[in-house]
């Protein structure tokens, strides 16, 4: 019988990563120091999304490669979450004018590639990247897939943080400008997602020792900071999601987090809490701004740190309340029969980190 393992550090880091996403969208230290905010929100916080992709690569991708039915089921589940999210944010997007003057092609581009709201890009990127990496790993040996994913990421760098190095008017520059008519950023399911899904998958076969992971993490993180600061000074960034040294940072960070494993389940928080925080936080950004205007408590808008804390706390509370409300709904047991809320059929032992948010975001 195969021993089941649980990863408490991975589970805790999910929540931290969701909070880092809020930081990206609220720039918490701008009022104190724009430079410090850039380092925190535009470099450090960029580990959040790759972390989620790597968790999917580690916990979901092996099962998807073993079963085509599981892969299809997983993609359908992501698609359903994306559909629900699009419906939730549709009124906000219309009010904000995101669809003003948009034709059918533009709307399809938003739905399939860019996301219909600024944080929803993650879901179509996950669908595209996951489908692509499954096809590649089924058709090619892992080293070949690694080369392909690496080349895609390298190409993506020059559409993101390294864009300024392209000579304006050159052939390559023209190609990238043409690509930007198809999608808004190279931070998408083609250039960005596959390499981190693959890194997570590779961890299932081999990972460095804990001591090596910590040492290499410190060194690579120093290089990441230097890279991000230098690119900012050189003013090369079209966007700031993709860095060269983000890859080794994520590899060694994830390896170090996996070291904290146990054979006993330790669930300290609802498994879907980070997912809901990620999906709902833009609504609470709007609510905090609206509430501050109504109550004339401008500190929650004018002070970036207060704004970040207000959004984080309110999002956390809102997500927790929603989870509690959903738990009151009737559940279905394995035979499809509805049961009373809270009366769940015992589940077989499974990985704690193999939860909704690990798989979807």
């Amino acid at each position: 019988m195969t021993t089941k393992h649980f990863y408490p550090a991975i589970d805790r880091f999910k929540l931290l990563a969701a909070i880092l996403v809020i930081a990206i969208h609220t720039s918490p230290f701008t009022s104190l120091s724009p430079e410090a905010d850039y380092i925190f929100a535009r470099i450090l916080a960029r580990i959040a999304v790759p972390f989620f992709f790597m968790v999917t690569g580690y916990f979901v991708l092996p099962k998807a490669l073993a079963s085509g039915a599981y892969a299809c089921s997983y993609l359908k589940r992501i698609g359903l979450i994306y559909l629900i999210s699009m419906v939730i944010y549709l009124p906000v997007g219309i009010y904000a004018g995101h669809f003003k003057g948009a034709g059918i092609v533009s709307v399809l581009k938003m739905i399939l590639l860019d996301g219909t709201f600024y944080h929803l890009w993650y879901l179509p990127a996950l669908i595209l990247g996951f489908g692509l990496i499954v096809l590649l790993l089924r058709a090619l040996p892992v080293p070949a897939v690694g080369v392909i994913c690496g080349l895609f990421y390298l190409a993506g760098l020059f559409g993101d943080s390294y864009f300024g190095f392209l000579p304006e008017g050159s052939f390559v520059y023209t190609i990238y400008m043409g690509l930007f008519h198809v999608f808004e950023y190279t931070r998408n399911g083609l250039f960005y997602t596959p390499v981190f899904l693959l890194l997570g998958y590779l961890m299932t076969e081999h990972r460095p020792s804990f001591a090596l992971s910590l040492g290499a993490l410190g060194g690579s993180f120093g290089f990441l900071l230097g890279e991000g600061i230098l690119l900012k000074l050189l003013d090369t960034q079209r966007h700031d999601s993709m860095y060269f040294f983000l890859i080794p940072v994520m590899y060694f960070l994830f390896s170090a987090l996996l070291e904290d494993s146990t054979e006993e389940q330790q669930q300290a928080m609802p498994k879907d809490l980070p997912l809901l925080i990620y999906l709902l936080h833009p609504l609470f950004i709007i609510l905090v701004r609206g509430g501050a205007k109504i109550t004339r408590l401008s500190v929650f808008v004018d002070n970036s740190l207060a704004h970040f804390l207000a959004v984080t706390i309110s999002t956390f509370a809102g997500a927790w309340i929603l989870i509690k409300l959903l738990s009151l709904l009737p559940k279905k047991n394995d035979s499809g029969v509805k049961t009373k809320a809270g009366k769940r059929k015992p589940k077989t032992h499974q990985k704690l980190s193999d939860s909704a948010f690990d798989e979807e975001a």
Side-chain angles (χ1 to χ4, degrees):
M1 182 177 177
T2 304
T3 303
K4 298 292 184 179
H5 291 280
F6 304 90
Y7 301 92
I10 292 286
D11 211 48
R12 290 190 293 268
F13 204 86
K14 291 186 301 177
L15 185 58
L16 175 60
I19 293 173
L20 288 177
V21 172
I22 297 178
I24 292 172
H25 296 148
T26 56
S27 299
F29 299 119
T30 302
S31 299
L32 303 174
S33 168
E35 293 79 13
D37 186 77
Y38 173 78
I39 292 173
F40 179 73
R42 306 300 162 191
I43 302 177
L44 172 62
R46 289 304 183 188
I47 66 176
V49 172
F51 167 75
F52 292 134
F53 284 138
M54 289 187 69
V55 173
T56 300
Y58 185 84
F59 291 103
V60 183
L61 193 51
K63 289 181 284 187
L65 291 171
S67 170
Y70 181 88
C72 291
S73 174
Y74 173 74
L75 289 174
K76 287 178 183 178
R77 190 158 67 253
I78 303 299
L80 179 60
I81 291 175
Y82 186 33
L83 177 61
I84 293 172
S85 300
M86 283 193 292
V87 171
I88 291 174
Y89 284 96
L90 182 60
V92 182
I94 293 174
Y95 178 78
H98 293 171
F99 302 98
K100 187 176 181 180
I104 295 177
V105 174
S106 296
V107 172
L108 287 175
K109 183 171 76 74
M110 279 190 273
I111 292 174
L112 298 177
L113 294 170
D114 298 329
T116 56
F117 210 68
Y118 60 82
H119 70 308
L120 294 182
W121 71 270
Y122 175 88
L123 295 170
L126 177 57
I127 293 171
L128 175 59
F130 189 85
L132 178 62
I133 200 71
V134 167
L135 292 176
L136 287 174
L137 287 172
R138 286 181 179 274
L140 299 170
V142 172
V145 176
V147 170
I148 293 172
C149 292
L151 289 175
F152 271 125
Y153 189 81
L154 181 62
L157 284 174
F158 284 94
D160 196 274
S161 288
Y162 285 77
F163 181 71
F165 287 109
L166 299 179
E168 190 170 348
S170 66
F171 177 69
V172 176
Y173 180 89
T174 303
I175 290 177
Y176 275 91
M177 294 309 295
L179 290 175
F180 293 137
H181 286 290
V182 180
F183 40 75
E184 188 72 20
Y185 302 107
T186 51
R187 179 264 283 130
N188 58 34
L190 180 62
F191 296 99
Y192 180 73
T193 306
V195 70
F196 294 112
L197 289 172
L198 181 63
L199 284 180
Y201 175 72
L202 293 176
M203 289 286 179
T204 63
E205 299 295 330
H206 172 75
R207 69 176 192 266
S209 67
F210 183 63
L212 176 59
S213 296
L214 285 183
L217 174 61
S220 58
F221 190 75
F223 281 113
L224 175 62
L225 287 175
E227 179 186 16
I229 293 171
L230 180 60
L231 291 173
K232 178 67 172 177
L233 293 174
L234 294 175
D235 194 26
T236 65
Q237 296 172 297
R238 183 177 184 270
H239 195 47
D240 48 34
S241 289
M242 301 178 70
Y243 298 101
F244 178 82
F245 282 101
L246 187 59
I247 291 180
V249 164
M250 295 313 305
Y251 180 81
F252 293 113
L253 171 63
F254 200 80
S255 175
L257 291 172
L258 286 174
E259 194 70 22
D260 182 20
S261 65
T262 176
E263 295 180 13
E264 294 186 7
Q265 187 170 355
Q266 302 173 11
Q267 187 165 347
M269 64 179 179
K271 65 179 183 179
D272 292 330
L273 182 62
L275 170 64
L276 289 175
I277 289 174
Y278 180 90
L279 293 178
L280 296 178
H281 77 271
L283 289 179
F284 285 92
I285 290 176
I286 296 171
L287 290 174
V288 167
R289 290 184 175 276
K293 184 176 181 180
I294 293 172
T295 61
R296 297 184 180 181
L297 295 174
S298 60
V299 64
F300 292 113
V301 174
D302 297 337
N303 185 287
S304 60
L305 184 57
H307 178 62
F308 164 72
L309 292 174
V311 171
T312 301
I313 293 171
S314 60
T315 304
F316 188 99
W320 192 284
I321 291 171
L322 181 58
I323 288 171
K324 294 300 181 182
L325 291 175
L326 291 175
S327 69
L328 299 177
L329 297 176
K331 303 293 187 298
K332 288 185 178 181
N333 59 26
D334 292 345
S335 61
V337 179
K338 289 185 177 181
T339 61
K340 291 183 180 180
K343 300 287 186 178
R344 298 188 183 185
K345 184 175 180 178
K347 295 181 180 179
T348 55
H349 204 49
Q350 62 179 14
K351 291 178 180 177
L352 176 61
S353 294
D354 192 10
S355 65
F357 190 49
D358 294 317
E359 297 178 6
E360 277 90 69

